[in-house]
Amino acid sequence: GAVVSQHPSRVICKSGTSVKIECRSLDFQATTMFWYRQFPKKSLMLMATSNEGSKATYEQGVEKDKFLINHASLTLSTLTVTSAHPEDSSFYICSASGASGLATQYFGPGTRLLVL
Amino acid sequence: QQQVKQSPQSLIVQKGGISIINCAYENTAFDYFPWYQQFPGKGPALLIAIRPDVSEKKEGRFTISFNKSAKQFSLHIMDSQPGDSATYFCAASSTGNQFYFGTGTSLTVIP
């Protein structure tokens, strides 16, 4: 149980284009989803937290207009990187947790974004 | 400010040996302490987790030791295998709130 999928697993795009990454909880309802960014050999950097049906809460320094997050249902959250630039190239990972008060986060397999 | 401090940054262990990774925290409101294992190019996978009402939890070859008074917890991997070579992250949270991750430990188990 507790499987989280991400799509696509890797994407290459041209500078200036937008890229959408999907995160799905396959076998449980995720009231909260988290989006992380990870640089090579570094820890996970929390970008934003989203609760189903409400606006995402962004961490300090993360541009909300650049990284659009939508959590429209209890099983799906999307991250859209708008007007992507080479410095946005990174490994993006989502995680999901169940009903409020339950502890753990289950991570997706990650999406490798390369912006040319 | 780093909420969770993890050490060592890297660790090399002989096959069959014990791998030990340590974490320390400051916030006494934390009540959930998971460990995650991450292979290159993959997302972190939950390995084992503990709450502060117990001092130790064991699952197979993996054990968490928890010292509430010292605000420290550690992961022990018994009989380490080459397949255990990965990056390990500790984390801490207070129920329902965000996770604070350690900086990670790169474990290499040599045959």
Side-chain angles (χ1 to χ4, degrees):
Chain A
V3 179
V4 177
S5 70
Q6 267 183 256
H7 177 80
S9 58
R10 58 181 66 194
V11 57
I12 301 172
C13 68
K14 291 183 179 180
S15 186
T17 60
S18 293
V19 174
K20 180 185 281 189
I21 302 170
E22 290 187 350
C23 177
R24 293 181 186 272
S25 57
L26 299 185
D27 52 3
F28 68 103
Q29 294 187 325
T31 51
T32 306
M33 285 185 166
F34 304 84
W35 286 95
Y36 295 85
R37 185 173 179 176
Q38 189 177 34
F39 293 100
K41 299 187 186 299
K42 296 294 184 184
S43 189
L44 301 148
M45 185 187 80
L46 179 65
M47 298 174 67
T49 302
S50 73
N51 292 295
E52 184 262 339
S54 59
K55 288 185 178 180
T57 302
Y58 290 81
E59 295 300 301
Q60 193 172 7
V62 178
E63 299 175 60
K64 64 175 79 172
D65 294 330
K66 180 163 188 63
F67 298 99
L68 301 178
I69 292 171
N70 184 280
H71 190 167
S73 77
L74 285 171
T75 60
L76 173 65
S77 177
T78 60
L79 167 68
T80 302
V81 183
T82 62
S83 185
H85 288 91
E87 58 265 29
D88 299 324
S89 299
S90 193
F91 192 50
Y92 293 88
I93 314 174
C94 72
S95 72
S97 65
S100 178
L102 295 181
T104 206
Q105 293 183 28
Y106 297 95
F107 283 85
T111 297
R112 175 75 59 192
L113 171 63
L114 177 61
V115 184
L116 302 177
Chain B
Q1 184 185 0
Q2 190 72 31
Q3 294 269 3
V4 178
K5 295 182 179 178
Q6 183 173 346
S7 63
Q9 185 175 0
S10 62
L11 182 61
I12 300 174
V13 172
Q14 204 102 34
K15 179 182 174 183
I18 302 173
S19 304
I20 301 175
I21 305 170
N22 301 297
C23 284
Y25 65 97
E26 286 297 324
N27 189 342
T28 55
F30 289 151
D31 60 2
Y32 182 69
F33 304 90
W35 284 91
Y36 288 86
Q37 178 189 57
Q38 185 179 29
F39 293 103
K42 305 293 183 184
L46 178 65
L47 200 58
I48 188 173
I50 199 169
R51 290 196 176 275
D53 52 347
V54 297
S55 60
E56 185 175 283
K57 183 175 182 180
K58 184 176 181 179
E59 289 183 4
R61 295 185 294 111
F62 301 93
T63 300
I64 299 180
S65 296
F66 185 80
N67 186 329
K68 188 173 180 178
S69 60
K71 292 185 285 187
Q72 295 175 346
F73 59 108
S74 59
L75 175 69
H76 296 234
I77 306 175
M78 312 300 284
D79 188 25
S80 299
Q81 298 297 312
D84 297 330
S85 298
T87 299
Y88 293 81
F89 292 97
C90 64
S93 75
S94 52
T95 304
N97 293 314
Q98 73 174 79
F99 280 24
Y100 294 91
F101 285 90
T103 49
T105 296
S106 176
L107 171 65
T108 302
V109 181
I110 52 177

